[in-house]
Amino acid sequence: MKKLILGLAIAASLSVNAQEKTTSSSPVTFGVKAGFNASTLSKVDQYDNDQKLKPGFNAGVFANIPVAEKFSIQPELLFNQLGSKTEEREVYYVNSDRYRREVDYKKTLSYLAVPVMVQYNILPQLYVEAGPEFGFLLGGKDKGDITTVKTSGNTTTTQSTSFSEKIVKDLHNKFNFGIGIGAGYYFTQNFGVTARFTAGITDIYKENSSDAVRNNAFQVGVAYKFK
């Protein structure tokens, strides 16, 4: 993770230097962006009783390349944290004993993402965008808490277990593909806010005989152009 953040920082520095060396007449601009992710998976293994939005973040660099009066292409290089958060609640009986089982499960998938957005400027400061996103799996973690409460007559016993382990990368697809749509607004020539939804197309698992499990994420954040 430290190496990745250092790499993004170096990339941002190179973008600044490249922008400073570019003449003012050049239409290409470089920048940095960061934001909040709210992600889900289309299906969450056995823990799909009640899925919640999982918080995460994204950060990286971009280049904005005008190709027409109101159109531009914006490739980006981002660290992107996706996954899911689910809660399972159930009550069942064994003979006369009552059991209440609670499962809180979180799956985190970290990607190096390369979105390539086609942007259309409705106004000079307001744009809409759409385009593909290519992701490369860096790693991830499965984490959860399981609590079982047994009530037998007037006696109640509680058993709790927790687990936290790295994902088995060999079981996951290293490549992730999605389609993003979004919009952004620049309050100044440099500073703006962004919003994007990306729907996954590929299955996160290599071998899956059931329904495909795909990444979905809503992102909001800020962007800064070096001008």
Side-chain angles (χ1 to χ4, degrees), residues 16-30 226-227:
V16 175
N17 292 335
Q19 180 65 17
E20 290 176 348
K21 293 178 182 179
T22 304
T23 62
S24 59
S25 60
S26 173
V28 179
T29 55
F30 299 88
F226 301 109
K227 288 192 174 183

Side-chain angles (χ1 to χ4, degrees), residues 2-216:
K2 292 181 179 179
K3 292 182 179 179
L4 175 62
I5 294 174
L6 178 61
L8 291 175
I10 293 173
S13 176
L14 292 175
S15 295
V16 175
N17 292 335
Q19 180 65 17
E20 290 176 348
K21 293 178 182 179
T22 304
T23 62
S24 59
S25 60
S26 173
V28 179
T29 55
F30 299 88
V32 294
K33 64 182 300 188
F36 171 80
N37 289 350
S39 62
T40 62
L41 293 173
S42 60
K43 184 181 178 184
V44 195
D45 303 332
Q46 69 268 36
Y47 303 113
D48 57 0
N49 183 270
D50 189 8
Q51 186 172 182
K52 309 293 184 182
L53 293 174
K54 177 192 169 297
F57 73 95
N58 66 85
V61 297
F62 66 87
N64 190 270
I65 309 166
V67 294
E69 182 180 356
K70 292 188 176 183
F71 286 93
S72 62
I73 296 175
Q74 181 165 298
E76 303 172 359
L77 179 64
L78 307 173
F79 172 78
N80 202 19
Q81 196 175 60
L82 304 177
S84 67
K85 178 182 178 181
T86 59
E87 297 176 356
E88 183 182 78
R89 304 289 185 264
E90 65 173 340
V91 175
Y92 59 95
Y93 291 84
V94 177
N95 297 322
S96 60
D97 297 335
R98 180 181 185 270
Y99 291 82
R100 186 176 78 251
R101 185 171 181 266
E102 300 179 355
V103 178
D104 295 307
Y105 173 73
K106 184 186 296 183
K107 187 179 191 71
T108 300
L109 298 170
S110 299
Y111 291 91
L112 183 65
V114 184
V116 182
M117 295 290 114
V118 177
Q119 298 181 342
Y120 174 76
N121 283 87
I122 301 173
L123 299 172
Q125 68 274 28
L126 174 67
Y127 69 85
V128 292
E129 65 179 6
E133 177 176 298
F134 310 94
F136 305 92
L137 183 64
L138 301 174
K141 180 176 288 189
D142 291 320
K143 185 177 181 180
D145 298 294
I146 303 173
T147 301
T148 303
V149 179
K150 175 185 176 183
T151 302
S152 180
N154 296 324
T155 303
T156 299
T157 57
T158 301
Q159 181 179 8
S160 298
T161 58
S162 298
F163 62 91
S164 180
E165 55 192 15
K166 292 182 179 180
I167 64 168
V168 181
K169 290 182 68 176
D170 289 341
L171 300 179
H172 294 72
N173 277 318
K174 294 187 172 95
F175 177 74
N176 183 67
F177 178 72
I179 299 294
I181 57 172
Y185 184 88
Y186 276 85
F187 296 98
T188 69
Q189 285 190 337
N190 304 96
F191 179 77
V193 294
T194 64
R196 181 182 299 166
F197 175 76
T198 304
I201 304 298
T202 54
D203 196 326
I204 67 170
Y205 293 111
K206 284 183 178 179
E207 297 180 6
N208 184 4
S209 58
S210 185
D211 296 335
V213 181
R214 302 183 179 95
N215 286 303
N216 297 294

